[in-house]
Amino acid sequence: MKDTATTERLTALIDREDPRAIEDFLGRLSSPEIAYAISRLDEEARSRLITLLTPAKAADILRDLPDEQAAGLIAELEPGTAAAIVDRLPADERADLLGGIGSAESRAILQAMPVDHATRTRELLLYPPDTAGGLMTAEFLSYPLTTTVGGVIDDFERNRQRYAEFQVQYLYLTDQAGRLAGVLRLRDLLLAPRESNLSTMTIPNPVQVGLEVSLIQLKQLFDEHHFMGVPVVDSGGRIRGVVERTAVEEAHERAERNSFLRVSGIIGGEEFRSAPFHRRVMRRLAWLTPNIALNIMAASVIALYQDTLRAAIALAVFLPIISDMSGCSGNQAVAVSIRELSLGLLKPGEFARVFAKESSVGLINGMVLGLLLGLTAFLWKGNVYLGLVVATALAANTLLSVLIGGSVPLLLKRLRVDPALASGPVLTTITDMCGFFLVLSIAQSIVEKL
Amino acid sequence: MKDTATTERLTALIDREDPRAIEDFLGRLSSPEIAYAISRLDEEARSRLITLLTPAKAADILRDLPDEQAAGLIAELEPGTAAAIVDRLPADERADLLGGIGSAESRAILQAMPVDHATRTRELLLYPPDTAGGLMTAEFLSYPLTTTVGGVIDDFERNRQRYAEFQVQYLYLTDQAGRLAGVLRLRDLLLAPRESNLSTMTIPNPVQVGLEVSLIQLKQLFDEHHFMGVPVVDSGGRIRGVVERTAVEEAHERAERNSFLRVSGIIGGEEFRSAPFHRRVMRRLAWLTPNIALNIMAASVIALYQDTLRAAIALAVFLPIISDMSGCSGNQAVAVSIRELSLGLLKPGEFARVFAKESSVGLINGMVLGLLLGLTAFLWKGNVYLGLVVATALAANTLLSVLIGGSVPLLLKRLRVDPALASGPVLTTITDMCGFFLVLSIAQSIVEKL
């Protein structure tokens, strides 16, 4: 089906106010198709769609949408309607979603939810989202050590429906005090007689993490081990939830993605074009406004050399080229440092290594690029001195840019500033200043020959 | 332990040629610590380390390293030594590793491997890495439909050791012709008597994918469904392997990461500073050289207006600012389009939507930024016309940049060029040309007032 046709058909069904037909229609679409169609509705049609559906069906649809889009949709609804829908989500997704909207809105929604669910969700909201507490799910199975294999099987039989969506690979075992005492793989149950006691089969001292363990630590843990989930315990050693491998992978992916977007100047999480206009404007300006100040600072170097520039006006052509090329070279070094830092292959203190490794690359690349640009200048004006000025300045500034680009992420990391957010502007400001200064000061010294 | 101390200690142990002590030492380190220490050895020490260890232990270490680093290490070894190590890796990782090194090296290694392993690995290498065939593992369990529950349990008992590392959540069932006929969750076995026939419990027509299904399609499949793995069948319907959720997540993460690096001008996969010098230089130049040509093209606009510029030399200060700020605004629009495209929220044909959504944002942001820069120009020179030229040019060029930035990824996608790789250079070239033209042509028309 044509993409616009999907949206038109959905709009028509919303206008007919026929929930059954809408559910049938959406049921035939894939998640991206649903996300696409919904993002193309206007705000009013979107709210009407959600209120027409049963809360359970609306919750299903929310789970198909990217996080930011789902949060935006919920924030648009009446708190009562939103609460009924949020209540149908699994406990951990409930907290993730409410964590993504304004705190006033999320408080209103929690107040409209059944008290016990609201309390549990508030508890999960207490943990920062990128910690074991914030990432864990409450959908896990734990049994006292004294349970028999037959007891577990009977429990499975009784709760067949409730457990249907659980990803069960492990059973967690607790002692009398409720502390985590062991873990068991599901398949081990198969090999044991029904009357065996779980305590005889358990792997004692299972790997476990505290509620406060960070996403980065969890990612490392799952990279090193092959488990599908790890139990989360509180300070008393009691099991509070399980962090699944997939939750860690997803959160890590989101973190990397946001870091990618910040490099391009999209801050405060993802921007979708379906988001409110004023939010898109403000978020983009929040990045652009400091940037223009830095740019003015850098270009003020040119103001100091106006006479030289007037005397050798051809240089004005090369100033933006040198600025842009130095930025490109420096950004390559920035990207390599950010990656090496995030993989632990580079420590924030290793400036010497970055300098050693970048200086040789910068020297060669600077010479190649300088030669290319210098030759262009010479061929254009037939003035060998113009070529020399341009070539020298670009070569030197390329070297400088990769040294600065390689080390700025380390410096920012030490200052606890996000390298993805700030490396670019810091780098271009410094290398622009240096580049303009190099071109114009060298030119000034031989201005009569240009 | 201090980071440099780790490397020094490892070097000392290598010099003592004591494999046991090395294994003990590495056994106490985490994966990132091992990767870090190895990246700090020189090439010769690295090769000696690997040859001192048993092939099995060396294979363990390779699995701890980032892919590019592992491939680099294997490529440095003698084919015979490399083959012995590669042979200890799981079948799918073997193919991934060999796929990451030169084809001459990988052929030599395959020739030194046992014939049957080499054949199976060559088979996996036939499938492109980002397809179901390239991502699948051979570690899965399948049984004829006629097997009983007891038969499966006996098989588990017999192969306890071989299956130890398998991620078993599902059993796959085949008909007499060997075609995939059903799937069974491990936990369902628990609830059935030993003499039941698997055919009575199976879920028929399981979700399955062909060998050629792409990473993007697999990612969508796993996003929509909660399974941990999906069976891969050949054109005859026979099961050839299983793609696990984790394999898809990892490959997707790698693809996103490479896309992030390409935006910054790191092409051809990740660059680590431990890679050979000439490769780092050549890869970076491969991105910089076309860029300098584009830059020269853009700046040639300035050459056309040398007289205007000489007459109003203050403008030279603002040319690089307008170039850089337009680039920043445009890049925000690029990043949003790339994300929306990759999520399926934007189709490559929807230029009209991008124009509509970006024009309003570009208008506001252009006015804000134009005002700021125009005011700066006015305050600096006390010339209101200078302020007006600068403000008008930046405002107009910001609008233009977001329109172009938002639509370039769509255009490149239609032309089947990677938007992450080419959007930046295309965008800056066009917006630089337009920016320079706007400033200088407006200035020319009122040059006597500047």
Side-chain angles (χ1 to χ4, degrees):
Chain A
M1 196 183 309
K2 278 290 211 188
D3 304 311
T4 47
T6 315
T7 312
E8 275 164 30
R9 181 109 180 84
L10 185 58
T11 313
L13 290 173
I14 294 170
D15 286 340
R16 269 171 44 200
E17 309 213 336
D18 181 349
R20 282 289 295 282
I22 294 176
E23 285 179 25
D24 277 359
F25 179 70
L26 293 177
R28 284 195 304 274
L29 300 180
S30 69
S31 305
E33 284 167 342
I34 292 176
Y36 175 83
I38 288 183
S39 73
R40 290 302 178 276
L41 298 176
D42 58 38
E43 191 177 325
E44 193 239 328
R46 227 164 21 222
S47 299
R48 273 172 60 210
L49 166 69
I50 294 297
T51 40
L52 276 170
L53 298 171
T54 62
K57 188 68 203 167
D60 273 356
I61 287 178
L62 278 190
R63 300 180 70 185
D64 280 336
L65 303 181
D67 300 342
E68 295 263 332
Q69 206 187 347
L73 221 165
I74 276 293
E76 286 168 11
L77 300 175
E78 287 289 300
T81 318
I85 296 168
V86 171
D87 199 36
R88 305 299 163 115
L89 293 170
D92 54 329
E93 294 186 22
R94 220 180 275 159
D96 288 348
L97 185 66
L98 292 179
I101 65 177
S103 61
E105 285 95 336
S106 93
R107 251 199 309 275
I109 294 172
L110 282 166
Q111 257 161 17
M113 263 167 64
V115 177
D116 58 328
H117 282 185
T119 311
R120 258 199 293 163
T121 308
R122 277 198 199 93
E123 243 173 61
L124 283 181
L125 276 170
L126 287 179
Y127 305 116
D130 281 353
T131 62
L135 291 163
M136 69 190 184
T137 168
E139 296 184 338
F140 64 94
L141 301 179
S142 76
Y143 299 94
L145 270 174
T146 50
T147 317
T148 60
V149 171
V152 173
I153 294 175
D154 292 343
D155 178 63
F156 269 51
E157 198 85 68
R158 273 195 307 275
N159 293 290
R160 212 184 251 264
Q161 200 150 23
R162 230 192 95 214
Y163 296 169
E165 285 275 300
F166 284 33
Q167 292 301 339
V168 187
Q169 285 255 43
Y170 308 105
L171 308 180
Y172 300 99
L173 307 176
T174 53
D175 64 15
Q176 297 106 309
R179 285 188 299 262
L180 180 66
V183 64
L184 203 57
R185 292 188 309 179
L186 189 60
R187 74 177 93 160
D188 297 327
L189 289 187
L190 279 175
L191 304 175
R194 282 184 69 105
E195 57 282 6
S196 314
N197 206 293
L198 297 186
S199 61
T200 62
M201 312 154 51
T202 181
I203 308 162
N205 305 318
V207 174
Q208 51 193 279
V209 296
L211 286 160
E212 72 298 335
V213 163
S214 73
L215 174 60
I216 294 167
Q217 291 168 309
L218 288 167
K219 170 80 178 141
Q220 277 184 12
L221 187 77
F222 282 106
D223 280 349
E224 277 170 54
H225 300 281
H226 287 214
F227 356 102
M228 301 307 291
V230 65
V232 184
V233 295
D234 61 21
S235 55
R238 278 176 301 270
I239 181 164
R240 301 294 297 274
V242 169
V243 175
E244 289 172 2
R245 177 182 280 275
T246 50
V248 172
E249 298 281 0
E250 266 170 38
H252 175 74
E253 203 183 302
R254 185 166 50 229
E256 293 249 314
R257 197 161 59 223
N258 283 340
S259 152
F260 160 64
L261 289 168
R262 278 196 294 275
V263 168
S264 308
I266 298 295
I267 55 176
E270 294 198 55
E271 177 190 322
F272 293 114
R273 294 206 171 90
S274 48
F277 174 62
H278 64 93
R279 204 201 302 166
R280 295 173 58 225
V281 167
M282 291 314 293
R283 277 197 187 176
R284 289 202 194 178
L285 279 178
W287 159 266
L288 294 171
T289 321
N291 242 308
I292 201 168
L294 291 176
N295 257 293
I296 290 170
M297 206 169 91
S300 61
V301 171
I302 302 175
L304 302 176
Y305 289 93
Q306 286 182 80
D307 296 333
T308 307
L309 195 55
R310 194 180 290 116
I313 195 71
L315 288 175
V317 174
F318 295 97
L319 290 177
I321 300 182
I322 289 175
S323 152
D324 191 73
M325 287 309 298
S326 305
C328 286
S329 296
N331 267 325
Q332 291 182 323
V334 165
V336 175
S337 282
I338 289 181
R339 269 306 286 162
E340 288 196 333
L341 280 173
S342 78
L343 284 170
L345 292 177
L346 187 65
K347 311 285 169 181
E350 294 189 296
F351 290 97
R353 177 176 170 85
V354 169
F355 273 63
K357 288 287 182 177
E358 288 297 332
S359 55
S360 46
V361 171
L363 219 55
I364 301 288
N365 288 2
M367 286 197 301
V368 173
L369 297 174
L371 209 68
L372 285 172
L373 193 63
L375 206 63
T376 309
F378 169 67
L379 292 175
W380 176 40
K381 288 285 176 185
N383 182 332
V384 70
Y385 294 100
L386 180 70
L388 279 176
V389 169
V390 166
T392 315
L394 181 56
N397 209 44
T398 301
L399 176 58
L400 215 64
S401 298
V402 294
L403 294 179
I404 296 169
S407 44
V408 159
L410 278 66
L411 191 70
L412 291 173
K413 190 99 182 179
R414 298 192 89 168
L415 299 174
R416 299 181 182 282
V417 178
D418 175 13
L421 184 64
S423 292
V426 170
L427 169 77
T428 39
T429 306
I430 305 179
T431 58
D432 276 6
M433 292 184 92
C434 295
F436 299 147
F437 172 76
L438 280 168
V439 180
L440 295 168
S441 62
I442 298 175
Q444 193 179 35
S445 66
I446 53 163
V447 71
E448 69 287 351
K449 297 197 166 135
L450 294 172
Chain B
M1 196 183 309
K2 276 293 211 188
D3 305 311
T4 46
T6 316
T7 313
E8 276 164 30
R9 180 110 179 81
L10 185 57
T11 313
L13 290 173
I14 295 169
D15 286 339
R16 268 171 45 200
E17 311 214 332
D18 181 349
R20 283 288 294 283
I22 294 176
E23 286 180 23
D24 278 358
F25 179 69
L26 292 177
R28 286 194 303 273
L29 300 180
S30 69
S31 305
E33 284 167 341
I34 292 175
Y36 175 84
I38 287 181
S39 73
R40 289 302 178 276
L41 297 174
D42 58 38
E43 189 176 327
E44 194 241 327
R46 223 159 28 218
S47 299
R48 272 172 63 210
L49 167 68
I50 294 296
T51 39
L52 276 171
L53 299 171
T54 62
K57 187 68 203 167
D60 274 355
I61 287 179
L62 277 191
R63 299 181 70 185
D64 281 336
L65 303 181
D67 300 343
E68 296 262 333
Q69 206 187 350
L73 222 165
I74 275 294
E76 286 167 12
L77 300 174
E78 287 289 300
T81 318
I85 297 168
V86 171
D87 200 37
R88 304 300 163 114
L89 294 170
D92 54 329
E93 295 186 21
R94 220 180 275 159
D96 288 348
L97 184 67
L98 292 180
I101 66 178
S103 61
E105 285 94 336
S106 92
R107 250 200 309 275
I109 294 172
L110 283 166
Q111 258 161 16
M113 263 167 62
V115 177
D116 57 328
H117 282 185
T119 311
R120 257 198 295 163
T121 308
R122 277 198 199 93
E123 243 175 62
L124 283 180
L125 276 170
L126 287 180
Y127 305 116
D130 281 354
T131 61
L135 290 164
M136 69 191 185
T137 168
E139 296 184 337
F140 65 94
L141 301 179
S142 76
Y143 299 93
L145 270 174
T146 49
T147 317
T148 60
V149 171
V152 173
I153 294 176
D154 292 343
D155 177 62
F156 269 52
E157 198 86 69
R158 272 195 308 275
N159 292 290
R160 211 185 252 265
Q161 200 150 23
R162 229 192 96 215
Y163 295 170
E165 286 276 301
F166 284 34
Q167 293 301 341
V168 187
Q169 285 255 44
Y170 309 104
L171 307 180
Y172 300 98
L173 307 175
T174 51
D175 64 15
Q176 297 107 307
R179 285 188 300 262
L180 180 65
V183 63
L184 202 58
R185 292 188 310 178
L186 189 60
R187 73 177 94 160
D188 297 327
L189 288 189
L190 279 175
L191 304 175
R194 282 184 70 105
E195 57 281 5
S196 317
N197 206 293
L198 297 186
S199 62
T200 62
M201 313 153 51
T202 183
I203 307 162
N205 305 319
V207 175
Q208 51 193 279
V209 297
L211 285 160
E212 73 297 336
V213 162
S214 73
L215 174 60
I216 294 167
Q217 291 168 308
L218 287 167
K219 170 81 178 140
Q220 278 184 12
L221 186 77
F222 281 107
D223 281 348
E224 276 171 55
H225 300 282
H226 287 213
F227 357 102
M228 302 308 290
V230 65
V232 183
V233 296
D234 60 22
S235 54
R238 279 175 302 270
I239 181 164
R240 300 293 298 273
V242 170
V243 176
E244 289 173 2
R245 176 182 281 274
T246 51
V248 172
E249 298 280 359
E250 265 169 40
H252 176 73
E253 204 183 301
R254 185 166 49 231
E256 292 248 313
R257 197 161 57 223
N258 283 340
S259 153
F260 160 63
L261 289 169
R262 278 196 295 275
V263 167
S264 308
I266 299 294
I267 55 177
E270 295 199 55
E271 176 190 323
F272 294 113
R273 293 205 172 91
S274 48
F277 173 62
H278 64 92
R279 203 200 303 164
R280 295 173 58 225
V281 167
M282 291 314 293
R283 277 198 186 175
R284 289 202 193 177
L285 278 177
W287 159 266
L288 294 171
T289 319
N291 242 309
I292 200 168
L294 291 175
N295 257 292
I296 290 170
M297 205 171 92
S300 62
V301 171
I302 302 175
L304 302 175
Y305 288 94
Q306 286 182 79
D307 295 333
T308 307
L309 195 56
R310 194 181 290 117
I313 195 71
L315 288 175
V317 174
F318 295 96
L319 290 177
I321 300 182
I322 289 175
S323 151
D324 191 72
M325 287 310 298
S326 305
C328 286
S329 296
N331 266 325
Q332 291 182 323
V334 165
V336 175
S337 281
I338 288 182
R339 270 305 288 162
E340 289 195 334
L341 281 173
S342 79
L343 285 170
L345 292 176
L346 187 66
K347 312 284 171 186
E350 294 189 296
F351 290 98
R353 175 174 170 87
V354 169
F355 272 63
K357 289 286 181 178
E358 288 297 332
S359 55
S360 45
V361 170
L363 218 55
I364 301 287
N365 288 2
M367 286 197 300
V368 172
L369 298 174
L371 209 68
L372 284 173
L373 193 63
L375 207 62
T376 309
F378 169 66
L379 292 176
W380 176 41
K381 287 287 177 186
N383 182 332
V384 69
Y385 293 101
L386 180 70
L388 278 175
V389 170
V390 167
T392 314
L394 181 55
N397 209 44
T398 300
L399 175 58
L400 215 63
S401 298
V402 296
L403 295 179
I404 296 170
S407 43
V408 159
L410 278 67
L411 192 70
L412 291 173
K413 190 101 182 178
R414 298 192 89 167
L415 300 174
R416 300 183 182 280
V417 178
D418 175 11
L421 183 64
S423 291
V426 171
L427 170 77
T428 40
T429 305
I430 304 179
T431 59
D432 277 6
M433 292 183 92
C434 295
F436 299 148
F437 172 76
L438 280 168
V439 179
L440 294 167
S441 62
I442 300 175
Q444 192 178 37
S445 66
I446 54 164
V447 71
E448 69 288 349
K449 296 196 169 136
L450 293 171

